[in-house]
Amino acid sequence: SPAGSTFARVEGPAWLRIEADGSYAGTPDEFDGGANAWLVAVTKDGSAPSYQRVELAVRRSPGVLFADNFRGYRGTQNNVQFQSGLPVAYLGTIPGWQSEGEGAVHAVAMANAASAVPDWAVMLWQDNRITSGAIDANAKNVRYEVVCEASPAVYAQPEQATQAADGLRIEVLRTDGTVLQSAMVSPGAWSGSMQFRQQSVAYSGDGSGAVRLRFGPDGEQRRGRFQGAVRKITLRAIAGR
């Protein structure tokens, strides 16, 4: 690095710390897989900064074809969650995902105030659904598994809380929009805080092309409640041809 220069991260994933002297350190996790890029400001002797782009490729674990923890979520934070006090947001977007439904996308910030790494869980209000982009995970006769964490959820009003009979539906969609696999998961009733449990859905590829993942409410979609929340989504191959 140029002698006498100072460095600062302008934008990019927060897992990598960039120090003023240009040194850096950090450990990515499963959800940082793929290309990672940072914009770094370089300032010397009080002059105007110049900007450098830094790129790193992070390998995912063997077999993992897709992983997302909604760290790119951006929404309007307008309240705190009933009982837990966590920040909540709505009218959000998630890079690589499409959304539908009233106020979508709702989310709750799980990271503590001291954390530099965003940690959002998407909360699925009555008619909300989110759908991923295309994923190359549908080779004929190969077994795959979708894994996520699901929790009961609520926004700011107690009457909107997930109840015991509510549920989320996880769907694996073919390229033409038909359903290759579908399963209901039950997050359980809201009990004062976000309580995540791992859920999984397995399917067999039929060779018809890329798939997309869709998460939404199970059954009737106008209940006036959040049907649950999801985060830490992965898709992996679990058995070969």
Side-chain angles (χ1 to χ4, degrees):
S1 62
S5 298
T6 58
F7 299 78
R9 178 170 62 90
V10 178
E11 60 184 38
W15 64 262
L16 186 71
R17 300 188 310 277
I18 299 175
E19 307 295 347
D21 63 2
S23 61
Y24 56 90
T27 303
D29 65 22
E30 192 72 83
F31 302 98
D32 297 307
N36 285 239
W38 295 262
L39 185 64
V40 179
V42 183
T43 305
K44 184 175 182 180
D45 299 328
S47 61
S50 60
Y51 296 92
Q52 302 290 329
R53 180 179 172 87
V54 178
E55 296 185 0
L56 291 174
V58 177
R59 292 183 180 179
R60 292 196 175 105
S61 300
V64 175
L65 304 171
F66 175 84
D68 201 333
N69 199 22
F70 308 129
R71 287 177 180 164
Y73 175 84
R74 296 292 183 273
T76 302
Q77 296 186 40
N78 67 337
N79 221 315
V80 295
Q81 189 175 59
F82 171 65
Q83 293 184 311
S84 78
L86 295 171
V88 288
Y90 75 121
L91 294 178
T93 59
I94 311 166
W97 293 76
Q98 296 179 334
S99 65
E100 57 186 286
E102 181 184 352
V105 175
H106 299 82
V108 55
M110 301 299 302
N112 61 51
S115 174
V117 180
D119 186 10
W120 291 96
V122 168
M123 302 192 297
L124 294 159
W125 166 250
Q126 58 181 21
D127 64 344
N128 291 179
R129 293 198 295 188
I130 58 171
T131 306
S132 75
I135 306 166
D136 186 12
N138 193 17
K140 190 173 180 63
N141 298 327
V142 174
R143 291 284 289 171
Y144 299 92
E145 184 180 42
V146 179
V147 178
C148 69
E149 291 185 355
S151 169
V154 67
Y155 209 76
Q157 303 301 320
E159 63 271 17
Q160 297 176 344
T162 307
Q163 297 183 10
D166 294 334
L168 297 172
R169 183 151 295 274
I170 304 173
E171 296 173 294
V172 181
L173 306 178
R174 298 183 180 91
T175 301
D176 63 5
T178 57
V179 177
L180 177 61
Q181 180 63 290
S182 177
M184 190 275 282
V185 299
S186 178
W190 175 257
S191 59
S193 64
M194 301 294 289
Q195 300 289 331
F196 286 95
R197 293 182 297 168
Q198 188 174 95
Q199 308 283 351
S200 64
V201 178
Y203 69 97
S204 294
D206 66 3
S208 62
V211 297
R212 293 175 294 144
L213 304 179
R214 184 165 66 191
F215 295 80
D218 180 63
E220 203 282 312
Q221 298 183 5
R222 302 298 300 183
R223 295 174 177 167
R225 298 192 297 274
F226 284 89
Q227 301 300 294
V230 294
R231 68 173 186 175
K232 295 187 176 180
I233 298 167
T234 60
L235 192 164
R236 69 180 67 229
I238 56 175
R241 305 168 198 265

